[in-house]
Amino acid sequence: GDSVTQMEGPVTLSEEAFLTINCTYTATGYPSLFWYVQYPGEGLQLLLKATKADDKGSNKGFEATYRKETTSFHLEKGSVQVSDSAVYFCALSDNNQGGKLIFGQGTELSVKP
Amino acid sequence: KAGVTQTPRYLIKTRGQQVTLSCSPISGHRSVSWYQQTPGQGLQFLFEYFSETQRNKGNFPGRFSGRQFSNSRSEMNVSTLELGDSALYLCASSGTAGGYGYTFGSGTRLTVV
């Protein structure tokens, strides 16, 4: 079945460092891909999305490109801030299965001043 | 506009009891999904409803059930609670039938003792 694999955390960075969180997926169809972020004690917030190959999603300085050839959707940010500390989830939605989201295990990011 | 509202925020139940959780989607959204989040299993899909019909179901035992009302509000019920049902239960709504960006609520934290 479909699945998502993320790099394990926790990831600890200094403020203004470059961030990459790797995400690869397995899917039989042509899924849509998402990054969600979860702050302590809260639900998930959609960070960015891409619905077809070569699409680039971007939001709040974060970017991810849908790479069909490598089945990847890596999250990047050029300069992280302390406020970016959270857990990040990569997810896919098989467009033939309605709204079912399949999530990776999550990557905890801690940014130190 | 108001977001996805889940009630209650916190709940403590005794093993063997049953529980009902409620989710009010964003106004106009007809698709509602439920997820269980635990430290060990991560985020797992429970079921999805669209226009009062269950469209998709995850791999959970029959003790987990749900429904959606004509105003799109949704409830999930867990009967004969087990200790392992302790989790954060998240509800998400979307204005489309597919996974093109679900908005999540803050969740209900269920503790089974």
Side-chain angles (χ1 to χ4, degrees):
Chain A
D2 295 353
S3 66
V4 175
T5 302
Q6 286 180 239
M7 65 184 283
E8 290 192 17
V11 174
T12 302
L13 296 173
S14 297
E15 204 165 24
E16 298 184 3
F18 185 85
L19 169 71
T20 299
I21 300 178
N22 291 338
C23 170
T24 57
Y25 68 90
T26 302
T28 53
Y30 299 92
S32 294
L33 301 174
F34 307 86
W35 276 100
Y36 281 86
V37 58
Q38 186 175 35
Y39 298 99
E42 298 184 14
L44 301 174
Q45 296 178 25
L46 177 63
L47 184 58
L48 52 84
K49 65 182 180 184
T51 58
K52 61 183 188 297
D54 300 325
D55 269 1
K56 176 186 282 190
S58 61
N59 186 26
K60 300 180 182 180
F62 291 90
E63 292 183 341
T65 301
Y66 189 142
R67 300 285 188 200
K68 189 169 184 296
E69 64 275 13
T70 54
T71 62
S72 65
F73 193 55
H74 304 321
L75 182 68
E76 296 182 335
K77 186 176 186 184
S79 176
V80 294
Q81 305 300 313
V82 172
S83 57
D84 293 327
S85 298
V87 181
Y88 292 80
F89 292 92
C90 184
L92 71 81
S93 173
D94 181 335
N95 297 324
N96 292 322
Q97 291 200 47
K100 176 181 177 181
L101 287 167
I102 295 171
F103 287 90
Q105 67 269 41
T107 302
E108 182 182 358
L109 171 66
S110 177
V111 181
K112 306 297 185 186
Chain B
K1 64 182 177 184
V4 178
T5 303
Q6 292 188 245
T7 56
R9 285 296 308 273
Y10 302 93
L11 207 47
I12 300 175
K13 288 288 188 178
T14 303
R15 197 169 37 179
Q17 287 185 314
Q18 75 163 16
V19 67
T20 299
L21 311 182
S22 179
C23 173
S24 293
I26 289 173
S27 179
H29 283 191
R30 292 194 292 162
S31 178
V32 174
S33 297
W34 289 88
Y35 294 82
Q36 181 196 64
Q37 185 177 24
T38 60
Q41 299 298 316
L43 281 153
Q44 293 188 288
F45 173 78
L46 280 156
F47 26 68
E48 184 212 5
Y49 288 86
F50 183 79
S51 293
E52 302 180 66
T53 301
Q54 186 181 87
R55 290 203 315 157
N56 222 330
K57 190 176 188 305
N59 296 323
F60 278 81
R63 299 185 297 106
F64 291 81
S65 63
R67 59 178 174 169
Q68 186 180 33
F69 302 95
S70 59
N71 62 358
S72 293
R73 190 177 70 86
S74 178
E75 290 181 346
M76 68 163 281
N77 184 278
V78 187
S79 62
T80 320
L81 283 165
E82 300 177 0
L83 296 179
D85 297 333
S86 295
L88 179 65
Y89 290 88
L90 292 165
C91 166
S93 76
S94 172
T96 62
Y100 298 108
Y102 272 78
T103 301
F104 281 79
S106 297
T108 294
R109 171 75 63 184
L110 171 65
T111 303
V112 182
V113 297

